[in-house]
Amino acid sequence: MNADPEVREHLGDLLTREESDASVSRFQADFDQRGYGWWAVEVQATGEFIGFAGLDDVDDDMPFTGVEIGWRLARSAWGQGYATEGALTVLAHGFGALELPEILAVTTATNLRSQAVMRRIGMTRNPADDFDDPTEPEGALRPNVLYRISRSART
């Protein structure tokens, strides 16, 4: 999945198997430390791994703080509702078990598919919150949009 140029289009460079495995190890360590992180997403009927969804702390170098929701799916799983279903489950966990007051979502300005998921799960965007990702060089990955949803909006 991390070696697929279409999956990585809005994320940056392709990852080698070793880099991808290392990121999974970091995901597990973060989950163990914080009690939240990334969950594997599987097709319920077959158990096929198709990606992941979950929560992560916003990186320190971003111009805002909080907890961010995200998802990444294999191309074969696109357009079947898995991202929305997974994101709704993650929101329920974040607002329920974790009692988070707000959850954020970030993507590149050109990632219209993820922005559509954000809107479907009830998140809203204020263009004044959009920003240039300070970790990215000039180019398509630098302009980003920020979506938000509060726990009170879900009740």
Side-chain angles (χ1 to χ4, degrees):
M1 188 172 67
N2 283 318
D4 183 328
E6 287 187 69
V7 171
R8 298 284 308 173
E9 176 183 3
H10 302 284
L11 301 169
D13 295 334
L14 301 181
L15 302 183
T16 65
R17 179 60 184 219
E18 293 76 21
E19 291 168 327
S20 188
D21 289 348
S23 70
V24 170
S25 294
R26 283 190 306 274
F27 291 168
Q28 185 62 51
D30 288 345
F31 197 102
D32 292 344
Q33 178 186 15
R34 294 186 306 230
Y36 62 87
W38 301 105
W39 297 329
V41 175
E42 298 177 343
V43 176
Q44 191 170 14
T46 65
E48 174 192 3
F49 171 78
I50 56 169
F52 59 85
L55 296 167
D56 198 8
D57 293 335
V58 170
D59 292 338
D60 291 336
D61 44 11
M62 290 296 128
F64 49 87
T65 60
V67 176
E68 177 183 356
I69 190 172
W71 48 85
R72 184 174 314 158
L73 297 176
R75 203 168 3 128
S76 62
W78 291 3
Q80 299 179 49
Y82 295 122
T84 300
E85 179 182 358
L88 287 169
T89 301
V90 171
L91 283 181
H93 180 71
F95 290 138
L98 300 178
E99 299 182 346
L100 296 172
E102 179 181 61
I103 296 176
L104 310 173
V106 173
T107 191
T108 59
T110 57
N111 189 347
L112 303 180
R113 293 174 73 100
S114 278
Q115 290 181 55
V117 173
M118 294 169 192
R119 288 188 301 274
R120 278 195 296 277
I121 65 173
M123 301 187 98
T124 58
R125 173 182 167 221
N126 178 346
D129 291 335
D130 294 351
F131 66 100
D132 285 341
D133 184 337
T135 67
E136 292 293 337
E138 289 297 325
L141 299 181
R142 190 165 180 119
N144 276 243
V145 297
L146 174 64
Y147 280 74
R148 301 174 182 271
I149 189 169
S150 67
R151 182 172 41 193
S152 62
R154 296 277 300 167
T155 56

